[in-house]
Amino acid sequence: QVQLVESGGGLVQAGGSLRLSCAASGRTFSNYGMGWFRQAPGKEREFVAGISRSGNSTYYADSLKGRFTVSRDNARNTVYLQSNSLKPEDAAVYYCAASTSGGFYPVIRYDYWGQGTQVTVSS
């Protein structure tokens, strides 16, 4: 199995940027499709972005296209989420997840999850 640890969250002003990281350990990182999700208080978890095993293909939630960018570095066993022009409604706990099928879309099964990192956006 694979262990995932997110980092990079924090407090940022509206309009600011953050880069979240998700470090993987365990089995070969490049075997997994990766996804980023978020969950705000009182709301359901929602898909943010996904990336293929190689990093050549990505997929985004329509509402977040243009502000969020997912990338990965298989040599460093890390996937990133660059988030720009942050809004108060982006505040949430952000999670990364790994799919053994290699998929990276919203509705596939993700087998492993990190513990999450909190993003707070002040207005």
Side-chain angles (χ1 to χ4, degrees):
Q1 64 180 42
V2 64
Q3 292 78 41
L4 304 172
V5 179
E6 302 93 338
S7 62
L11 173 64
V12 63
Q13 288 188 332
S17 299
L18 281 176
R19 188 175 82 155
L20 307 183
S21 299
C22 171
S25 60
R27 294 192 180 270
T28 306
F29 178 63
S30 59
N31 286 346
Y32 298 92
M34 299 297 296
W36 282 98
F37 293 78
R38 68 185 186 183
Q39 187 167 20
K43 294 188 177 181
E44 293 187 354
R45 185 175 61 199
E46 66 172 336
F47 176 85
V48 175
I51 189 165
S52 63
R53 288 166 168 156
S54 66
N56 289 338
S57 298
T58 57
Y59 186 87
Y60 297 92
D62 286 342
S63 61
L64 301 176
K65 285 180 182 177
R67 294 197 298 121
F68 286 65
T69 303
V70 60
S71 61
R72 68 190 294 166
D73 184 340
N74 286 343
R76 296 180 182 271
N77 292 346
T78 302
V79 61
Y80 304 98
L81 183 69
Q82 178 69 40
S83 51
N84 299 326
S85 302
L86 284 164
K87 305 174 182 180
E89 53 263 42
D90 293 317
V93 178
Y94 283 71
Y95 300 90
C96 67
S99 167
T100 55
S101 71
F104 53 98
Y105 297 105
V107 294
I108 66 161
R109 171 178 168 174
Y110 287 88
D111 304 281
Y112 304 103
W113 294 80
Q115 84 291 346
T117 186
Q118 177 72 51
V119 171
T120 303
V121 183
S122 63
S123 57

